[in-house]
């Protein structure tokens, strides 16, 4: 999801915006927050939107069964609670009273049934369908038939008065967290079942979409029927948000400086240091936050060089200088990182298994006798300037480790094509450079739950990217046991597992955590900023203008 968002932003750079902006009068609570970006507009349909910025808006407009707190824990929203029965295959949610759509219609269990029917519908082609039809993960009874066009209603989802009952094909401990994705929000039955919504529609969250002119302006405003109560205790300071799309990069920066806009999330790289010098970092107007992502070098753990070769995998981890690796991206683009879980993951911690600077003495000692002939093939991104420079840092590290230059084969791929190339069964890659994983949903590759993230390396048969996985029965047993625990004990066990796997199995070389940089107008109250790693932006309801 995040990679696609970056791609869309990059595609919009250089386009000229024609709209101008009137400066609003200051207000302690209220006012319109004016956001500008160089990219094209995002989709607003609740069951189709699947871009970081879109989910930022959906977080403000959606009412979900459960949501995540700023600390990443699951908290009830429209559901007052739930029970699990039938061996973990039946979930029964009790729907609170008091939630209403922006057209005044009460939220009922039926609205969640309709959301899941839309997600599964073949004609609508929601990207959320993969999360409820997965034979190796969450599969709601009947969802696959609807997604195949054989039915219109997911028979495993039933509304019984104030109760919503969902039947799963098999137990899935991550199911509840998947329901926090915007796809599964309370959805008005006024939305068409089979067609995308392009304009305003009723929402049950704090705000609702009131205007959407594609590639020009998208607006959300307060839901007039949203009042504080159980499940509705989150703040709502702003009157609304206007998003101005397709702005020129330099004009956008000037508009925020002058107060005509309130946020610039795509600061030109050569401007960041100057803003930091003028305003400081995370003090008033220039802010840098870690994203719910990791950047890494992917070992092909199924090929001859690194398969069953933990010593060499650990050696490469010590040989790569992470500080040098991130330097080509420029200031405030990333920070060195070496563990599998990003700092945004609940259960993660600050302890780093490997240093920010190379330790070549230790690397050579570990690699001695494990080069297996000393021949290595490296896939890297050849487009742009940053990725080729990072590839050179890795090549130099491999040479320092003991690989002879003539035995290192470098193969370049444009943009995201490297993922397809690395995913081909039987490919000749030993390492893939400049790869990343970002948050899809709170238990997936991101902030709330580390389990599904770790499964990419410990359950290769279930991974979307088979070469990542390592078959290790002992660590797999530990993972399964940790994932069966609850609460703090579960997070503590998964955090320890993360460190042990990174130190001992070393399934990848995690190099960095990408950072988002923001420039804000002087109208924005810095004390109201609450960063959301999953959507890589600020909590809209918490934002306040001076």
């Amino acid at each position: 999801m995040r990679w696609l968002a970056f791609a869309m932003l990059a595609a919009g750079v250089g386009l000229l915006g024609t709209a101008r902006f009137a400066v609003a009068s200051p207000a302690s609570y209220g006012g319109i927050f004016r956001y500008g970006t160089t990219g094209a507009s995002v989709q607003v349909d609740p069951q189709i939107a699947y871009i970081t910025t879109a989910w930022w808006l959906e977080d403000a407009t959606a009412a979900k069964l459960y949501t995540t707190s700023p600390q990443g824990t699951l908290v009830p929203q429209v559901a007052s609670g739930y029970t699990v029965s039938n061996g973990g295959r039946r979930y029964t949610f009790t729907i609170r009273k008091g939630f209403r759509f922006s057209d005044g219609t009460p939220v009922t269990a039926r609205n969640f049934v309709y959301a899941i029917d839309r997600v599964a519908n073949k004609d609508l082609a929601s990207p959320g369908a993969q999360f409820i039809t997965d034979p190796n993960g969450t599969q709601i009874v009947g969802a696959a038939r609807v997604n195949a066009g054989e039915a219109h209603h997911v028979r495993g989802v039933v509304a019984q008065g104030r109760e919503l009952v969902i039947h799963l094909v098999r137990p899935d401990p991550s199911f509840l967290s998947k329901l926090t994705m915007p796809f599964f929000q309370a959805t008005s039955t006024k939305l068409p079942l089979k067609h995308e919504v392009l304009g305003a529609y009723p929402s049950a969250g704090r705000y609702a979409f009131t205007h959407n002119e594609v590639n020009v302006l998208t607006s959300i405003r307060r839901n007039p029927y949203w009042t504080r109560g159980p499940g509705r205790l989150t703040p709502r300071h702003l009157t609304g948000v206007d998003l101005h799309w397709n702005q020129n990069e330099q004009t956008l920066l000037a508009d925020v400086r002058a107060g005509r806009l309130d946020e610039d999330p795509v600061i030109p790289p050569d401007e960041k240091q100057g803003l930091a010098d003028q305003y400081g970092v995370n003090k008033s107007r220039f802010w840098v936050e870690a994203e719910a992502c990791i950047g890494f070098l992917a070992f092909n753990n199924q090929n001859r060089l690194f398969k069953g070769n933990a010593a060499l995998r650990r050696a490469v981890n010590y040989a790569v200088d992470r500080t040098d690796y991130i330097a080509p991206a420029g200031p405030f683009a990333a920070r060195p990182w070496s563990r599998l879980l990003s700092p945004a993951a609940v259960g993660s911690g600050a302890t780093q298994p490997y240093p920010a600077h190379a330790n070549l003495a230790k690397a050579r000692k570990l690699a001695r006798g494990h080069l297996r002939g000393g021949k290595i093939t490296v896939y890297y991104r050849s487009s742009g300037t940053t990725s080729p420079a990072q590839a050179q840092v890795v090549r130099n590290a491999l040479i320092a480790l003991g690989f002879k230059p003539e035995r290192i084969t470098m193969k370049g791929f444009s943009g995201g094509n490297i993922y397809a190339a690395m995913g081909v069964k039987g490919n000749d890659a030993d390492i893939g450079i400049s790869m990343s994983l970002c948050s899809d949903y709170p238990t997936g590759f991101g902030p709330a739950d580390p389990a599904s993230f770790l499964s990419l390396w410990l359950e290769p048969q279930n991974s979307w990217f088979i070469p990542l996985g390592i078959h290790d029965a002992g660590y797999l047993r530990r993972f399964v046991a940790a994932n069966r625990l609850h609460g703090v004990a579960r997070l503590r066990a998964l955090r320890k597992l993360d460190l042990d796997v990174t130190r001992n199995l070393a399934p990848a070389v995690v190099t960095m955590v990408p950072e988002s940089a923001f420039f804000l107008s002087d109208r924005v109250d810095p004390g109201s900023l609450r960063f959301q790693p999953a959507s890589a932006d600020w909590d809209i309801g918490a934002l306040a203008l001076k």
Side-chain angles (χ1 to χ4, degrees):
M1 181 179 70
R2 187 68 43 75
W3 180 87
L4 183 56
F6 288 158
M8 291 185 70
L9 287 174
V13 172
L15 297 177
L16 295 176
T18 57
R20 304 314 303 153
F21 317 97
V23 179
S25 59
S28 297
Y29 291 98
I32 306 301
F33 184 84
R34 300 156 311 194
Y35 173 103
T37 185
T38 55
S41 62
V42 298
Q43 292 170 297
V44 299
D45 188 299
Q47 276 74 54
I48 293 180
Y50 197 39
I51 294 295
T52 309
T53 304
W55 276 19
W56 178 54
L57 296 172
E58 295 287 344
D59 180 74
T61 59
K64 298 173 282 189
L65 292 167
Y66 271 70
T67 187
T68 52
S69 72
Q71 294 74 37
T73 57
L74 290 171
V75 293
Q77 192 173 25
V78 181
S80 60
Y82 73 98
T83 60
V84 183
S85 57
N86 192 25
R89 295 190 295 273
R90 176 187 170 112
Y91 283 73
T92 303
F93 299 90
T94 301
I95 305 302
R96 300 183 195 269
K97 295 180 179 180
F99 279 85
R100 298 171 74 186
F101 288 98
S102 52
D103 62 358
T105 306
V107 173
T108 69
R110 173 61 188 151
N111 296 114
F112 291 98
V113 174
Y114 193 62
I116 293 174
D117 283 347
R118 287 192 91 230
V119 168
N121 189 271
K122 180 180 180 181
D123 293 326
L124 190 64
S126 167
Q130 62 186 306
F131 299 107
I132 59 172
T133 60
D134 182 3
N136 296 314
T138 297
Q139 187 173 19
I140 296 177
V141 172
R145 288 195 71 238
V146 174
N147 199 233
E150 299 170 1
H152 295 297
H153 169 60
V154 179
R155 65 184 179 87
V157 186
V158 181
Q160 299 176 345
R162 289 181 57 206
E163 290 188 339
L164 172 72
V165 182
I166 302 179
H167 300 267
L168 303 182
V169 173
R170 62 185 57 80
D172 179 12
S174 70
F175 173 61
L176 190 63
S177 292
K178 289 175 183 174
L179 291 180
T180 67
M181 289 190 289
F183 300 126
F184 307 109
Q185 65 183 276
T187 301
S188 170
T189 55
K190 295 178 181 179
L191 274 67
L193 179 66
K194 301 180 180 181
H195 304 291
E196 179 181 0
V197 173
L198 299 176
Y201 61 87
S203 295
R206 295 169 287 178
Y207 296 87
F209 287 97
T210 56
H211 180 86
N212 186 47
E213 186 177 355
V214 175
N215 291 333
V216 179
L217 176 68
T218 299
S219 299
I220 64 172
R221 294 293 185 267
R222 287 175 178 169
N223 174 357
Y225 297 96
W226 188 92
T227 57
R228 288 180 67 82
R232 303 183 303 281
L233 300 178
T234 48
R236 188 180 67 164
H237 299 156
L238 297 173
T239 300
V241 178
D242 283 344
L243 291 91
H244 300 269
W245 309 103
N246 281 337
Q247 301 303 302
N248 173 270
E249 191 175 65
Q250 292 296 334
T251 303
L252 173 56
L253 183 64
D255 282 329
V256 175
R257 283 188 187 276
R260 293 185 292 267
L261 285 174
D262 296 310
E263 179 177 342
D264 176 359
V266 286
I267 306 166
D270 58 355
E271 298 280 0
K272 291 180 182 179
Q273 189 61 59
L275 292 173
D277 294 341
Q278 183 175 358
Y279 298 105
V281 179
N282 295 359
K283 293 181 179 179
S284 60
R285 297 182 62 180
F286 179 69
W287 292 77
V288 179
E289 298 285 348
E291 299 177 7
C293 305
I294 59 168
F296 67 103
L297 316 181
F299 292 129
N300 187 335
N301 291 311
Q302 309 305 312
N303 276 6
R304 49 129 199 125
L305 182 59
F306 289 108
K307 183 177 182 180
N309 197 352
L312 185 58
R313 296 195 299 265
R314 292 176 63 213
V316 178
N317 265 283
Y318 281 107
V320 173
D321 190 299
R322 290 164 174 82
T323 302
D324 289 347
Y325 182 85
I326 67 176
F332 308 110
R335 64 186 65 172
W337 194 256
S338 66
R339 60 190 300 170
L340 296 173
L341 298 180
S342 81
V346 172
S348 182
T351 303
Q352 295 300 307
Y354 299 100
H357 293 284
N359 184 337
L360 291 177
K362 189 163 188 173
R364 291 178 184 128
K365 182 177 180 180
L366 284 167
R368 194 172 298 124
H370 296 282
L371 296 184
R372 294 183 175 175
K375 183 179 180 181
I376 187 169
T377 298
V378 180
Y379 286 8
Y380 72 99
R381 295 182 190 232
S382 56
S383 51
T385 58
T386 299
S387 294
Q390 292 173 334
Q392 188 60 47
V393 171
V394 175
R395 185 175 184 274
N396 292 340
L398 293 174
I399 293 171
L401 194 59
F403 289 93
K404 295 181 179 180
E406 63 272 17
R407 303 280 283 172
I408 301 174
T409 300
M410 307 291 292
K411 292 188 177 181
F413 297 86
S414 176
N417 291 334
I418 189 172
Y419 290 96
M422 285 288 293
V424 173
K425 186 176 181 180
N427 71 72
D428 63 346
D430 295 305
I431 296 181
I433 297 178
S434 299
M435 308 191 78
S436 63
L437 287 173
C438 295
S439 175
D440 259 350
Y441 63 95
T443 55
F445 313 131
D449 194 316
S452 292
F453 195 94
L454 292 175
S455 74
L456 291 174
W457 282 276
L458 298 176
E459 294 183 312
Q461 72 278 9
N462 294 337
S463 176
W464 60 273
F465 197 51
I466 298 297
L468 291 178
I470 292 178
H471 295 274
D472 188 288
Y475 278 102
L476 181 57
R477 282 194 297 269
R478 282 185 58 186
F479 172 70
V480 171
N483 205 25
R484 286 175 177 165
L485 298 174
H486 297 278
V488 175
R490 178 174 177 272
L491 293 175
R492 186 182 297 117
L494 289 170
R495 177 173 58 190
K496 188 175 188 311
L497 181 63
D498 166 43
L499 284 172
D500 290 348
V501 166
T502 310
R503 284 172 176 152
N504 301 325
L505 287 186
V509 180
V510 179
T511 54
M512 64 180 182
V513 170
E515 294 179 319
S516 292
F518 306 89
F519 183 45
L520 304 175
S521 77
D522 192 44
R523 297 200 320 149
V524 180
D525 178 3
S528 71
L529 300 176
R530 297 182 185 175
F531 188 70
Q532 299 174 306
S535 56
D537 219 309
W538 313 106
D539 180 343
I540 288 174
L543 282 170
L545 302 176
K546 297 177 183 176

